[in-house]
Amino acid sequence: MDIKFVKADVLKEKPESSTLGFGKFFTDYMFMMDYSREDGWHDARIVPFAPIALHPASTVLHYGSEIFEGLKAYRTADGSVQLFRPMENIRRMNTSADRLCLPQIPEDLALQVLTEFVKVEQDWTPSAEGTSLYLRPFMFGNDETLGVHAVHNATYVIIASPVGSYYKEGINPVKIMIEDEDVRAVRGGTGYAKCGGNYAASNRAGERAEKKGYSQVLWLDGVERKYIEEVGAMNVMFKIGDEIVTPMLSGSILPGITRKSCLEVLRQKGYKVSERLISIDELAEAMQNGTLQEAWGCGTAAVISPIGELCYKDVKYAVNNGEIGETTQMLYDTLTGIQWGKIEDTFNWTVKL
Ligand code: PLP
Ligand code: COI
């Protein structure tokens, strides 16, 4: 598809890498295209980054018809820029679209517009240690009527933000609160889709956790409130004895691309890995008897984030004395090594621009 380019009058100053944080700065341009049932995807354009005008009855403003993705472009030592497993994000976007009755984007079109947009903005990819260009594709339903039904019109946008670490702790261990009141998702719902509504429903527990000094919450399943699910913006893994355990994909958690990559690295290195149900009782017991050796979260924004403390029903448990464990460090080094092109990508995960 042809992509129209509208040049910005002035380009922005690029921020100092020490000030980046997460999602505070945006590049000069954004990608947009529109969908209608009659015309399919059309009007692909890269335009100056600016507010988007919406009809006050637009579906997204009333019925939460929105999905998104998150992936990163990395600056390698030779100055080139590469993406990490972009087809995984493109496929997950279409899975989310299917759940929310939003239109599919053909995979080759999605890859074309993503790479053309990143090529335009590649100078924004920072080079300081631990920084990258976070890419946020998103799609929303955009019918101009108040009826509740699958939309006939949608808009797809990609914005980009130079980022440092997601948590203020960086690679240092974070404190996580296990939530036993609110739930995030249930099987049959939208937990496996990356849709805005899941995050809106998470905010109340997140706020409560932050007030108590925790970075995020760890969700339990929505039916029995018994099984571990995932953390607010990452999947979760535990090392209990000599077994690495992570909740299986049951429909209520996000099938994380970092999760999938960690499992592939762990299996290749010969670790004993299980994707299975983990009850809060099993975890509490492992915390009490000291067999819980490590816990970490994994996600694109958070990368690999060691968990140094878990709090459940107001009882606090230190994990690995609040220090980063050996397996957590190995995963961090391997994934970031591949992402920043410091170690050989034997998995073929990276895509050069
Ligand atoms: N779980 C949730 C709820 C998330 O928001 C994320 C972040 O994208 C993840 C897990 C990790 O997914 P990924 O590794 O694909 O970024
Ligand atoms: C990501 O890791 O890309 C995410 O989407 C997490 C986000 C909710 C900040």
Side-chain angles (χ1 to χ4, degrees):
M1 188 184 284
D2 281 343
I3 303 177
K4 187 173 133 193
F5 180 68
V6 180
K7 203 165 180 323
D9 292 336
V10 222
L11 298 183
K12 299 174 193 164
E13 283 264 322
K14 297 193 176 53
E16 278 287 313
S17 52
S18 60
T19 63
L20 289 178
F22 184 82
K24 296 193 299 188
F25 300 97
F26 296 93
T27 64
D28 293 305
Y29 292 96
M30 58 190 188
F31 171 82
M32 293 183 84
M33 65 179 174
D34 300 309
Y35 172 89
S36 68
R37 286 210 181 162
E38 305 73 49
D39 300 328
W41 287 108
H42 60 275
D43 205 7
R45 57 208 187 267
I46 293 173
V47 294
F49 186 92
I52 298 171
L54 290 177
H55 188 282
S58 175
T59 323
V60 66
L61 299 178
H62 300 267
Y63 307 127
S65 185
E66 192 266 354
I67 56 175
F68 67 96
E69 270 304 324
L71 71 163
K72 285 171 170 173
Y74 303 85
R75 170 92 51 200
T76 62
D78 65 8
S80 61
V81 172
Q82 61 187 21
L83 301 172
F84 184 72
R85 310 189 83 174
M87 286 314 293
E88 295 285 337
N89 294 89
I90 286 169
R91 291 192 191 110
R92 188 171 64 189
M93 180 97 172
N94 279 333
T95 306
S96 302
D98 178 64
R99 180 65 185 83
L100 277 275
C101 281
L102 283 163
Q104 300 282 305
I105 305 183
E107 290 179 5
D108 51 354
L109 174 63
L111 188 63
Q112 180 211 341
V113 302
L114 178 72
T115 42
E116 287 195 29
F117 172 64
V118 183
K119 275 183 191 157
V120 169
E121 292 296 57
Q122 60 179 310
D123 285 354
W124 279 87
T125 313
S127 57
E129 169 105 28
T131 62
S132 53
L133 184 64
Y134 184 76
L135 305 166
R136 171 54 65 87
F138 60 102
M139 189 197 296
F140 54 91
N142 201 7
D143 284 356
E144 299 178 351
T145 159
L146 293 177
V148 180
H149 50 69
V151 293
H152 288 218
N153 298 275
T155 300
Y156 179 62
V157 187
I158 311 174
I159 55 175
S161 169
V163 297
S165 59
Y166 182 68
Y167 295 115
K168 66 176 181 351
E169 289 86 347
I171 177 69
N172 296 317
V174 292
K175 290 162 58 170
I176 300 287
M177 197 177 91
I178 302 175
E179 171 66 26
D180 58 356
E181 212 170 293
D182 287 358
V183 298
R184 176 184 174 275
V186 289
R187 211 167 308 163
T190 56
Y192 68 94
K194 205 159 166 58
C195 62
N198 290 342
Y199 299 80
S202 306
N203 281 337
R204 185 169 70 173
E207 270 290 292
R208 278 198 300 256
E210 271 183 38
K211 281 200 181 112
K212 291 186 174 176
Y214 291 86
S215 296
Q216 277 193 345
V217 303
L218 174 57
W219 298 102
L220 298 177
D221 77 277
V223 179
E224 297 181 69
R225 295 183 201 194
K226 184 174 167 191
Y227 298 104
I228 305 290
E229 297 246 295
E230 63 182 327
V231 180
M234 43 189 199
N235 295 109
V236 70
M237 298 189 175
F238 304 98
K239 187 173 183 198
I240 303 177
D242 67 349
E243 185 190 18
I244 312 287
V245 204
T246 194
M248 65 206 189
L249 300 179
S250 58
S252 57
I253 66 172
L254 194 76
I257 294 155
T258 321
R259 174 190 181 279
K260 184 175 180 178
S261 307
C262 285
L263 293 177
E264 289 175 45
V265 168
L266 289 163
R267 289 193 171 117
Q268 193 218 39
K269 290 190 185 283
Y271 284 78
K272 185 172 155 198
V273 180
S274 308
E275 296 172 72
R276 62 167 173 83
L277 286 174
I278 314 161
S279 70
I280 182 64
D281 296 337
E282 177 187 349
L283 188 66
E285 197 185 316
M287 291 191 281
Q288 276 153 11
N289 69 20
T291 49
L292 178 70
Q293 297 177 8
E294 296 180 49
W296 64 90
C298 50
T300 301
V303 196
I304 301 291
S305 182
I307 297 173
E309 182 184 313
L310 281 163
C311 177
Y312 180 54
K313 292 194 186 292
D314 286 329
V315 183
K316 296 174 182 176
Y317 300 91
V319 184
N320 196 36
N321 294 319
E323 284 164 19
I324 181 164
E326 211 179 298
T327 315
T328 314
Q329 185 74 55
M330 180 282 289
L331 284 171
Y332 180 85
D333 293 343
T334 309
L335 286 190
T336 59
I338 293 172
Q339 288 163 341
W340 276 283
K342 290 183 199 154
I343 59 178
E344 196 193 344
D345 174 15
T346 53
F347 294 95
N348 251 328
W349 283 337
T350 50
V351 177
K352 286 241 187 257
L353 271 197

